[in-house]
Amino acid sequence: MDDQDLSRFCCQNTQCPDHGKRGADNLTVCGRYGKQGQHRLLYCRTCRVRFSERKGTLLFGSKLSEDKAVSLFQHLSERCGVRSTARLIGVNRNTVVRYSRLAGPHARQIHDEFVAFSPSDP
């Protein structure tokens, strides 16, 4: 992904007129954060609010690396148990439980968003 490609993102400020509108061309990168500056800090030109590119995702505030988190979710989607997932990726089983509980509402939200745009069955 191009460093400046922000078409997948939308303003996270619920008071903003552009809240939830992807590709509205209202976002810019105003900084970086993280140990290696790996995460972008986004700025909405409409409401003048700054927020993390991870805000609103499962990875916001996460201490796990992105690779480990993705691996955790892949194991869970393959119906791998909590203890075996924890052992395979090298985390505590409580971490697996916590992330799986966080994933439920996000999965429902994404499902509902996709269903809203899917064509109706004739």
Side-chain angles (χ1 to χ4, degrees), residues 1-121:
M1 180 175 84
D2 179 17
D3 190 42
Q4 295 299 319
D5 180 21
L6 303 175
S7 61
R8 298 180 323 148
F9 299 99
C10 60
C11 183
Q12 297 293 308
N13 178 12
T14 56
Q15 305 302 313
C16 181
D18 289 332
H19 174 259
K21 295 179 185 174
R22 289 189 180 99
D25 202 32
N26 59 324
L27 301 177
T28 61
V29 177
C30 66
R32 294 192 160 276
Y33 72 99
K35 286 184 180 179
Q36 288 85 33
Q38 68 271 30
H39 306 301
R40 296 178 292 186
L41 193 60
L42 304 180
Y43 174 77
C44 177
R45 290 186 285 236
T46 305
C47 65
R48 299 181 177 170
V49 168
R50 294 182 307 170
F51 55 91
S52 166
E53 69 180 333
R54 288 182 156 199
K55 184 166 184 178
T57 71
L58 286 169
L59 298 176
F60 183 65
S62 173
K63 302 278 192 234
L64 285 183
S65 68
E66 190 169 338
D67 292 339
K68 273 195 177 188
V70 168
S71 181
L72 184 147
F73 294 124
Q74 286 173 336
H75 281 89
L76 291 176
S77 72
E78 293 292 327
R79 305 185 109 195
C80 198
V82 169
R83 286 188 174 127
S84 55
T85 298
R87 187 178 58 254
L88 289 168
I89 64 172
V91 297
N92 187 291
R93 65 183 173 89
N94 292 332
T95 301
V96 176
V97 171
R98 186 173 62 251
Y99 276 82
S100 66
R101 285 188 176 162
L102 287 171
H106 281 274
R108 180 180 306 275
Q109 207 173 15
I110 291 169
H111 172 268
D112 292 347
E113 186 175 325
F114 281 126
V115 168
F117 292 111
S118 63
S120 60
D121 233 359

